[in-house]
Amino acid sequence: MTGGIYDHALACDVAFAFRDLRREVDGIEACIREHSRIPVRTVLDVGCGTGPHLPELARRGYAYTGLDSGPAMLDFGRRRAAALGLTTAFLEGDLAGFAMPGPFDFAFIAMNSLYVRDLAGVAGNLASVAGVLRPGGLYLLDWCIQNVELRPGEHRWEVARDGVRVRAAVAWTNVDEPERTFDETVVFEIDDHGRAETIRGVSRRRAVYPDEFLALVRESGSFELVGWWDEWNLGRPLARLDAATRLQVALRRTGG
């Protein structure tokens, strides 16, 4: 996201608080049990935002590191960690190309957070994750791969928490269909303890489809495909990708 949306970390944290994070971490652990070839203690959250998965992962004994490009999001995550009494690293970096201390046993990117403008950005992300992930470790991508052709549309929802209410709308508009680029417009109408504010952000994005994603995985020479799932049901591999409503894909780091 860009502009005011991404700078308003509290609104983002509230707006996306509808997720069942315990269930999502259950899915992460199911994937690790079935497919990781190494024990997992250290976890990298790529595109971590405000770090919503941190409390549940920490409660289960994982050492968490968050990576994001937004300073406001990272500051929110650091405050979240401090409130839990955790010394957690939240690092700033470009998802399409980053270098950081490692290595990690497991990496994931959640909630459609792979913001790239072209396939080179996907390749850069894969190379960067490969550079910090141990051989045998997994990279799980949630809702980052488009399993059906993107169509213009809008989705609305509302979440309230601790005196803050956010009415959210996300709209998608095709920009260049042959190039598979689109604009994602996010609007938050915020009521923060009676103080009203509306913020808006627009991001130019590249839709990424399974065939081209798998071609990039092969070209990377660093990963192998583990499988595809839907809605965090990581115990039930998909037979048909076009039937998924929220697609997950796992890769395993090769080498050793």
Side-chain angles (χ1 to χ4, degrees):
M1 298 178 188
T2 60
I5 296 294
Y6 206 61
D7 293 337
H8 205 307
L10 175 61
C12 287
D13 197 67
V14 172
F16 295 105
F18 61 83
R19 292 176 289 173
D20 186 343
L21 295 172
R22 180 173 294 183
R23 181 170 177 269
E24 293 185 11
V25 176
D26 285 345
I28 287 172
E29 290 199 311
C31 192
I32 290 170
R33 283 194 305 270
E34 292 295 321
H35 303 291
S36 181
R37 290 182 177 163
I38 59 173
V40 174
R41 182 178 179 274
T42 56
V43 173
L44 175 63
D45 184 354
V46 182
C48 64
T50 59
H53 292 88
L54 167 61
E56 188 62 24
L57 285 165
R59 187 181 71 81
R60 302 190 194 195
Y62 297 100
Y64 174 102
T65 297
L67 173 78
D68 203 273
S69 60
M73 295 291 197
L74 294 168
D75 287 344
F76 191 102
R78 293 183 187 111
R79 293 195 299 273
R80 167 172 271 147
L84 295 170
L86 300 172
T87 55
T88 299
F90 281 89
L91 306 176
E92 186 172 350
D94 184 349
L95 307 189
F98 62 86
M100 60 188 302
F104 297 92
D105 305 323
F106 179 87
F108 73 102
I109 182 167
M111 198 66 186
N112 192 21
S113 295
L114 186 60
Y115 281 78
V116 295
R117 297 177 69 96
D118 51 36
L119 293 182
V122 182
N125 176 262
L126 291 173
S128 297
V129 173
V132 297
L133 188 61
R134 293 182 190 275
L138 302 176
Y139 183 27
L140 178 65
L141 298 93
D142 165 42
W143 221 359
C144 296
I145 310 304
Q146 190 77 27
N147 60 313
V148 294
E149 286 296 321
L150 181 71
R151 293 181 175 85
E154 183 181 68
H155 179 59
R156 292 179 175 270
W157 72 97
E158 181 176 325
V159 180
R161 187 187 72 195
D162 299 332
V164 179
R165 182 179 300 275
V166 179
R167 294 183 177 88
V170 180
W172 304 273
T173 306
N174 285 322
V175 174
D176 188 328
E177 291 193 38
E179 293 297 322
R180 294 175 161 176
T181 57
F182 66 98
D183 279 347
E184 180 180 85
T185 302
V186 184
V187 178
F188 289 161
E189 297 176 13
I190 307 163
D191 182 337
D192 187 349
H193 296 83
R195 184 175 64 87
E197 182 181 5
T198 298
I199 56 177
R200 179 178 182 272
V202 181
S203 296
R204 179 68 50 84
R205 304 187 63 172
R206 170 59 154 85
V208 181
Y209 291 84
D211 56 343
E212 54 195 9
F213 176 71
L214 292 177
L216 290 171
V217 170
R218 288 191 296 271
E219 290 169 11
S220 77
S222 299
F223 290 102
E224 59 185 350
L225 176 69
V226 171
W228 303 89
W229 297 268
D230 184 29
E231 292 285 356
W232 291 99
N233 293 314
L234 272 73
R236 295 202 306 247
L238 274 174
R240 288 179 47 200
L241 298 189
D242 61 356
T245 57
R246 181 172 173 176
L247 190 66
Q248 285 90 39
V249 58
L251 308 176
R252 185 164 46 230
R253 181 72 167 92
T254 54

